[in-house]
């Protein structure tokens, strides 16, 4: 099973950018679709983005479409989330996650995850 570790969060002003990284170990990252989801205090978990195991397919929530870009480097066992034009409402803990079953992009789209990391805090504030 994959073990995932997020990094790259921090405090940024509105309109700024951050790049989150998700490093994997324990299995070949290239076998798994990977998703990012976020959770803000008092709010439900929100799916942010998914990328297929090859990187050929991606999906974004409407709230981040056009501002966030998901990518992956399977040789480095790492998935990235580039976040531009950040807004205060993007403030949350961001998690990367993988379905328990390899290859299935649909499970990522459904938020059906078997493993996820400890999360990284993103705060957008002036």
């Amino acid at each position: 099973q994959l073990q995932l570790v997020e990094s790259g969060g921090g405090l940024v002003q509105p309109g700024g950018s951050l790049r989150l990284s998700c490093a994997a170990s324990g299995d070949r990252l290239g076998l798994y679709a990977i998703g990012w989801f976020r959770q803000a205090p008092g709010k439900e978990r929100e799916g942010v983005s998914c990328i297929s195991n090859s990187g050929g397919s991606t999906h974004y929530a409407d709230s981040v479409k056009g501002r966030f870009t998901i990518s992956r480097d399977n040789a480095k066992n790492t998935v990235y989330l580039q976040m531009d034009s950040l807004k205060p409402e993007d403030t949350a803990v961001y998690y990367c996650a993988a379905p328990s079953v390899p290859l299935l992009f649909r499970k990522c789209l459904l938020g059906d995850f078997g493993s996820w990391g400890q999360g990284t805090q993103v705060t957008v504030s002036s």
Side-chain angles (χ1 to χ4, degrees):
Q1 190 172 7
L2 280 179
Q3 288 85 50
L4 302 169
V5 178
E6 304 92 341
S7 62
L11 173 64
V12 63
Q13 292 187 343
S17 297
L18 283 174
R19 188 176 82 155
L20 306 184
S21 297
C22 173
S25 61
D27 202 348
R28 284 175 52 202
L29 182 70
L31 293 175
Y32 294 86
I34 297 292
W36 288 91
F37 65 89
R38 64 189 181 186
Q39 188 152 26
K43 294 188 177 181
E44 291 188 359
R45 187 180 93 174
E46 178 187 13
V48 173
S49 184
C50 285
I51 188 166
S52 62
N53 68 300
S54 68
S57 296
T58 58
H59 174 80
Y60 299 93
D62 287 343
S63 58
V64 307
K65 201 171 292 183
R67 301 188 297 120
F68 289 12
T69 304
I70 192 170
S71 62
R72 65 191 298 157
D73 186 338
N74 287 340
K76 294 183 177 179
N77 259 15
T78 304
V79 173
Y80 305 97
L81 186 68
Q82 177 68 40
M83 306 188 296
D84 299 318
S85 302
L86 282 161
K87 304 175 181 180
E89 51 263 44
D90 294 319
T91 296
V93 178
Y94 283 70
Y95 301 85
C96 64
S100 57
V101 179
L103 302 180
L104 293 182
F105 186 50
R106 191 170 73 94
K107 281 195 172 285
C108 184
L109 299 177
L110 293 172
D112 184 4
F113 299 121
S115 59
W116 49 90
Q118 82 290 347
T120 185
Q121 176 71 47
V122 172
T123 303
V124 185
S125 175
S126 54

